[in-house]
Amino acid sequence: MGEQEPESGGGAARARKPAKTAKAARPARKAAAAAKKADAAVKAPPAKIVAPKPPKDESRTALVRRARRIDRELAEVYPYAHPELDFENPFQLLVATVLSAQTTDLRVNQTTPALFEKYPTPEDLAAAVPEEVEEILRPCGFFRAKTKSVMGLSKALVEEFDGEVPGRLEDLVKLPGVGRKTAFVVLGNAFGRPGITVDTHFQRLVRRWQWTDETDPVKIEAAVGALFPKSDWTMLSHHVIFHGRRICHARKPACGACPIAPLCPAYGEGETDPEKARKLLKYEKGGFPGQRLKPPQSYLDAGGKPAPPLGAAG
């Protein structure tokens, strides 16, 4: 058939055929690329990563584009990102978040089963014997202060909110031991209301990425929130915190195993050798447990492991 085409158009038609084939193959290539990114936490990127620092005069538009691209990349690496505190209702999440101050989510998750088994409701915890609560919370550290906080917030829930956790920021921050960070964790994950959780990981990473140079958590919250649609805030927090716990560590970030290295102005502050960097990875598909005793199924399907119960080996 090709030989019968007019000479004037045949060459052009034949030249276009490979383009059609390439276009048809794009979905398959995209799927393959997405699969690779999802496993990026354990697969080292190319040995030489060109990671130019954004210019000092980076425009607002360029900053927004770079920030949103980082979040999209992290969403592909951590499609199962989730709050790493075990909870079954807003009250449990509120208490667990208060207990997580100055300790790990893992330690809280190992401690709260006994607490919630004995005191399943605000009414139960409000009427508890403080010394008995302290004994349960001892592994979390600062157990006397934390006992006072969780019992105090339980009493406030009973007296002011009929034993129900309120779904408004202005009400939550009035509870003993509850600040904006805790309130946004509860609002975003128990009520589905967008919020940015500015914990130590979040603060560290957004400054490394030059999204903001603010140091006050409230100002960081405002600055970063302005870069993203409000509907993205809760999952953005999970993506950043997951990355901070697993790859972009405080003391020695695993730059050479980082899937967003080409977008990071702080690339090179940590280990850049891919093999050495892989040894620094935490939690992610490397034989380490996650923070939760009962993580979401999507996390388990991706190769994540549940945390051991309190006192268990490993």
Side-chain angles (χ1 to χ4, degrees), residues 15 33 60 79 106 138 168 234:
R60 177 71 179 182
L106 171 58
R138 187 179 293 271
R168 300 195 311 163
T234 299

Side-chain angles (χ1 to χ4, degrees), residues 9-284:
R14 286 192 296 272
R16 282 195 297 270
K17 285 182 181 179
K20 269 188 171 182
T21 303
K23 186 175 181 180
R26 284 176 189 168
R29 289 201 301 271
K30 285 184 178 180
K36 288 182 180 179
K37 285 180 179 178
D39 201 32
V42 292
K43 289 187 177 180
K48 291 184 178 180
I49 299 174
V50 179
K53 293 186 177 182
K56 291 182 179 180
D57 59 347
E58 182 180 35
S59 70
R60 177 71 179 182
T61 299
L63 171 60
V64 170
R65 288 175 177 170
R66 183 168 62 85
R68 294 185 182 184
R69 184 178 172 190
I70 286 175
D71 186 45
R72 289 196 301 271
E73 297 283 340
L74 293 180
E76 292 191 21
V77 176
Y78 311 113
Y80 41 77
H82 56 274
E84 293 197 273
L85 288 167
D86 285 325
F87 69 98
E88 295 179 358
N89 55 56
F91 173 63
Q92 289 188 0
L93 179 58
L94 177 61
V95 170
T97 306
V98 169
L99 294 178
S100 69
Q102 296 178 294
T103 190
T104 64
D105 288 354
L106 171 58
R107 178 60 66 180
V108 174
N109 290 339
Q110 292 171 323
T111 305
T112 51
L115 180 71
F116 295 141
E117 181 179 4
K118 190 168 184 178
Y119 310 107
T121 70
E123 290 82 0
D124 295 322
L125 191 51
V129 176
E131 290 76 15
E132 294 179 1
V133 177
E134 288 178 0
E135 192 59 33
I136 294 174
L137 299 185
R138 187 179 293 271
C140 286
F142 302 96
F143 59 92
R144 290 189 180 90
K146 290 181 180 181
T147 294
K148 186 176 179 180
S149 291
V150 298
M151 289 188 66
L153 71 85
S154 296
K155 290 176 182 177
L157 290 176
V158 172
E159 295 172 0
E160 300 176 30
F161 301 101
D162 296 321
E164 298 292 331
V165 176
R168 300 195 311 163
L169 175 65
E170 52 267 41
D171 292 330
L172 285 168
V173 294
K174 293 177 183 177
L175 299 172
V178 178
R180 290 179 69 87
K181 184 190 80 170
T182 295
F184 280 128
V185 169
V186 174
L187 290 173
N189 299 290
F191 292 98
R193 296 175 183 173
I196 292 178
T197 303
V198 184
D199 72 351
T200 55
H201 301 288
F202 195 94
Q203 292 183 49
R204 179 176 73 253
L205 269 62
V206 298
R207 287 200 294 269
R208 278 181 176 169
W209 296 335
Q210 294 183 14
W211 288 3
T212 179
D213 58 3
E214 298 288 356
T215 56
D216 178 76
V218 176
K219 292 181 178 179
I220 291 173
E221 176 193 317
V224 175
L227 302 176
F228 294 87
K230 191 172 182 178
S231 58
D232 291 351
W233 288 356
T234 299
M235 287 308 301
L236 167 70
S237 300
H238 291 325
H239 296 152
V240 175
I241 292 170
F242 255 60
H243 194 61
R245 284 176 168 164
R246 288 153 174 77
I247 295 179
C248 196
H249 311 135
R251 295 183 181 178
K252 201 170 185 181
C255 294
C258 180
I260 60 164
L263 300 170
C264 180
Y267 174 77
E269 288 186 7
E271 180 58 66
T272 58
D273 179 84
E275 290 304 317
K276 292 180 180 179
R278 288 180 65 181
K279 296 177 181 178
L280 299 175
L281 299 181
K282 295 180 180 178
Y283 305 127
E284 211 62 24

